[in-house]
Amino acid sequence: MKIDPWSSSTYQDYENLRKEFGIEEFTEDLWQYLPRPHRLLRRGIIFGHRDFQKILEAIQNKQPWAILTGLMPSGRMHLGHKMIIDEVVYYQSLGADIFIAVADIEAYGTRGFSLSETKELAVNEYIKNYIALGLKPERCHIYFQSKNTFVKDLAYLLGKKINWSQMTATYGFNGATNMTHVFSPLVQTGDILHVQLERFGGIRPVLVPVGVDQDPHICLSRDIAQAHRLYNVIKTKDDKIGIFVKPDNDIIPLLDNAEKIVSSLGFTEFKRISDYKALYLLKAKESDICKIDKALALSEPEFQGYGFLQPSATFHRFMTGLTGGKMSSSKPESAIFLTDSPEEAKKKIMYAKTGGAVSLEEQRQQGGKPDECIVYELFLYHLIDDDVQLHDIYHTCRSGDRMCGQCKKEAAELVGGMIQQIAEKRNLSNKVMDAYLD
Ligand code: TRP
Ligand code: SF4
């Protein structure tokens, strides 16, 4: 099985997906240490991650970190898209620098949109709604791929350490794939890594919150980041921590530098193994690797390296469409759009598939199935922040004390109110738009 970032497939079995692709589970062990953990984190909607530990450490130690995510401006913004921004707004409240890429090159290369069409959609559909959803302009940068020289330059330069076989194996490209499409994963790598360039805040942990369809790009960016490092820090076969200088670099000055850095971290017992271009730390533990690697990364620009830390990622589930299948802009009846009128949105809920039984009688006796209910999913993802209240809905549904008609009405009222509030804030967004755009 392969994840194809450009297909419209839906995923059901997230657990299997995690196992197959080596994505870590996003458990309570991680979110319980975050301030005011967001409902999407508490409720397993963000079900997986790569390297989130790094972000947690930065937050706990009050060190700088950043969020980078991207949007493909290829249709109207719906509740599925809202999830990412809810996350971003939360992380902004924890102190992250925020970067949002408008993937206009990708939309042009893979979906056939013109750059001016994507600009119009990005501003009017997405960015206005982002502002309405509470994104603040401070330390927040929204940019277009096609206008960002740093991103495009990195895409060219970083491509050096990836070859065509790797690209075809990852993405299934073939002789008929257009070259802008082929290039778009490298542009996305440029998006993800450019925030660690000096002028964008320098080397620091970066979290990329995305849907799981983006995992191939995450892996590519992580591989490329590591491939461009000057040092590799690993546990050796004889259980030592080894710092290896990558081939084609100046060995002696880099080993001198490594000695200086590990000493300053308090590791004073080490041995240089010139044959291996390595420094072995005799008393370091595996749990020290992260700290050592970060300190070395920070020194790499002095030696003409980038020092990129491997980016972290979280993966969220996709929202089910109101009629089943995936919520998608191309099927208007499947999605609630943020620019729907409150009446339209309410009406859509009344048609949504539920987990109710065939008759009221049967539902009273056997209860409903909230886990298979799209109305419940709306409560879970968007409408009810209070966990106690959500549990109550869940249990009264299961026990047969809650009927779908009334339940849908409650959901419709909440959706209507939410959409109304977003619309009011969106109408004020024009005035402040410039503060967000680079
Ligand atoms: N490829 C993403 C999508 O299809 C959009 C995107 C572009 C992106 N650059 C990014 C996502 C960087 C995360 C990080 O939606
Ligand atoms: Fe869904 Fe509510 Fe019906 Fe339960 S009662 S199945 S939660 S609509």
Side-chain angles (χ1 to χ4, degrees):
M1 180 186 161
K2 226 188 212 137
I3 297 179
D4 176 356
W6 298 285
S7 85
S8 57
S9 49
T10 57
Y11 300 95
Q12 242 92 50
D13 191 345
Y14 289 100
E15 173 128 336
N16 233 333
L17 205 62
R18 260 200 313 98
K19 289 196 181 124
E20 177 147 356
F21 292 94
I23 293 170
E24 315 273 334
E25 187 174 3
F26 197 93
T27 59
E28 185 165 358
D29 293 345
L30 289 168
W31 61 252
Q32 67 176 340
Y33 299 111
L34 293 173
R36 298 168 277 105
H38 193 272
R39 62 173 182 275
L40 294 168
L41 301 168
R42 300 194 305 265
R43 295 176 183 169
I45 299 163
I46 291 163
F47 70 96
H49 74 97
R50 292 191 189 277
D51 223 353
F52 189 81
Q53 206 65 42
K54 236 188 224 156
I55 302 298
L56 190 56
E57 269 167 36
I59 295 173
Q60 289 181 318
N61 299 327
K62 305 213 176 330
Q63 289 161 344
W65 62 290
I67 290 282
L68 178 127
T69 190
L71 67 107
M72 174 91 107
S74 63
R76 294 173 67 192
M77 179 169 173
H78 57 59
L79 289 182
H81 302 121
K82 171 177 174 286
M83 256 193 291
I84 285 279
I85 295 309
D86 289 340
E87 285 178 60
V88 170
V89 168
Y90 167 67
Y91 290 127
Q92 188 174 40
S93 80
L94 300 188
D97 299 328
I98 307 295
F99 295 85
I100 300 175
V102 178
D104 60 346
I105 294 183
E106 185 181 1
Y108 169 74
T110 67
R111 300 272 164 95
F113 282 84
S114 72
L115 293 185
S116 57
E117 278 169 323
T118 55
K119 170 141 199 206
E120 157 73 24
L121 268 175
V123 170
N124 290 318
E125 266 298 318
Y126 291 84
I127 303 174
K128 282 186 183 170
N129 278 315
Y130 289 7
I131 298 172
L133 290 170
L135 191 67
K136 301 272 184 304
E138 291 80 26
R139 292 200 292 144
C140 173
H141 313 268
I142 305 179
Y143 68 89
F144 289 75
Q145 286 177 329
S146 68
K147 302 285 179 305
N148 191 321
T149 314
F150 300 94
V151 167
K152 287 182 290 185
D153 284 354
L154 271 185
Y156 273 107
L157 296 171
L158 298 179
K160 174 134 190 199
K161 302 250 186 216
I162 193 96
N163 64 35
W164 176 240
S165 313
Q166 290 164 295
M167 290 299 269
T168 50
T170 309
Y171 296 108
F173 294 150
N174 60 45
T177 313
N178 81 68
M179 289 306 294
T180 305
H181 186 167
V182 168
F183 197 57
S184 67
L186 288 167
V187 179
Q188 182 152 344
T189 298
D191 287 328
I192 293 174
L193 297 179
H194 89 285
V195 305
Q196 293 191 67
L197 295 173
E198 173 100 46
R199 64 182 296 145
F200 296 100
I203 297 160
R204 64 206 184 292
V206 177
L207 176 66
V208 188
V210 278
V212 69
D213 64 318
Q214 298 294 301
D215 188 47
H217 300 318
I218 298 297
C219 293
L220 180 73
S221 303
R222 287 174 58 81
D223 289 350
I224 288 185
Q226 194 57 32
H228 285 268
R229 286 288 305 276
L230 306 181
Y231 295 104
N232 227 348
V233 188
I234 53 168
K235 189 166 141 204
T236 63
K237 279 191 213 97
D238 45 351
D239 267 350
K240 304 269 181 313
I241 301 304
I243 299 172
F244 292 82
V245 175
K246 298 264 194 78
D248 305 327
N249 291 302
D250 250 345
I251 316 293
I252 309 287
L254 281 168
L255 286 178
D256 289 347
N257 177 58
E259 280 190 12
K260 192 181 85 196
I261 284 173
V262 295
S263 307
S264 73
L265 292 174
F267 301 100
T268 47
E269 294 187 43
F270 44 75
K271 195 160 102 195
R272 218 183 253 223
I273 317 231
S274 298
D275 284 355
Y276 295 165
K277 309 178 174 92
L279 190 71
Y280 276 31
L281 305 188
L282 306 175
K283 292 277 167 63
K285 295 185 295 292
E286 199 169 353
S287 54
D288 297 320
I289 289 182
C290 203
K291 183 168 71 181
I292 297 168
D293 187 56
K294 192 169 174 181
L296 291 168
L298 284 164
S299 76
E300 288 187 13
E302 277 171 53
F303 299 87
Q304 308 345 301
Y306 292 110
F308 292 137
L309 300 175
Q310 286 188 300
S312 309
T314 57
F315 303 100
H316 62 72
R317 296 165 185 265
F318 290 107
M319 283 204 75
T320 315
L322 299 171
T323 46
K326 192 176 176 179
M327 188 173 281
S328 157
S329 325
S330 55
K331 288 185 289 167
E333 69 290 353
S334 76
I336 293 177
F337 297 107
L338 301 193
T339 47
D340 277 341
S341 71
E343 286 63 42
E344 273 172 300
K346 285 180 173 173
K347 212 186 306 156
K348 285 181 183 173
I349 299 243
M350 298 319 272
Y351 296 125
K353 255 180 78 189
T354 72
V358 286
S359 69
L360 286 179
E361 190 50 35
E362 198 179 309
Q363 188 156 344
R364 269 189 210 102
Q365 279 167 16
Q366 300 177 1
K369 294 183 178 140
D371 296 307
E372 295 168 25
C373 175
I374 289 153
V375 177
Y376 184 73
E377 200 175 301
L378 290 169
F379 289 133
L380 184 77
Y381 283 53
H382 295 287
L383 301 177
I384 297 204
D385 202 37
D386 179 353
D387 290 341
V388 176
Q389 205 184 340
L390 186 75
H391 275 129
D392 183 64
I393 294 179
Y394 189 88
H395 292 297
T396 51
C397 171
R398 287 283 297 270
S399 65
D401 293 318
R402 170 178 277 272
M403 295 297 127
C404 295
Q406 178 58 28
C407 191
K408 276 181 168 175
K409 273 197 201 124
E410 285 173 35
E413 280 313 308
L414 289 172
V415 163
M418 185 178 83
I419 292 283
Q420 173 76 35
Q421 213 184 51
I422 293 173
E424 282 164 18
K425 292 197 181 142
R426 191 174 52 233
N427 290 337
L428 303 173
S429 65
N430 267 337
K431 289 195 210 89
V432 292
M433 180 68 73
D434 284 348
Y436 292 81
L437 293 172
D438 279 356

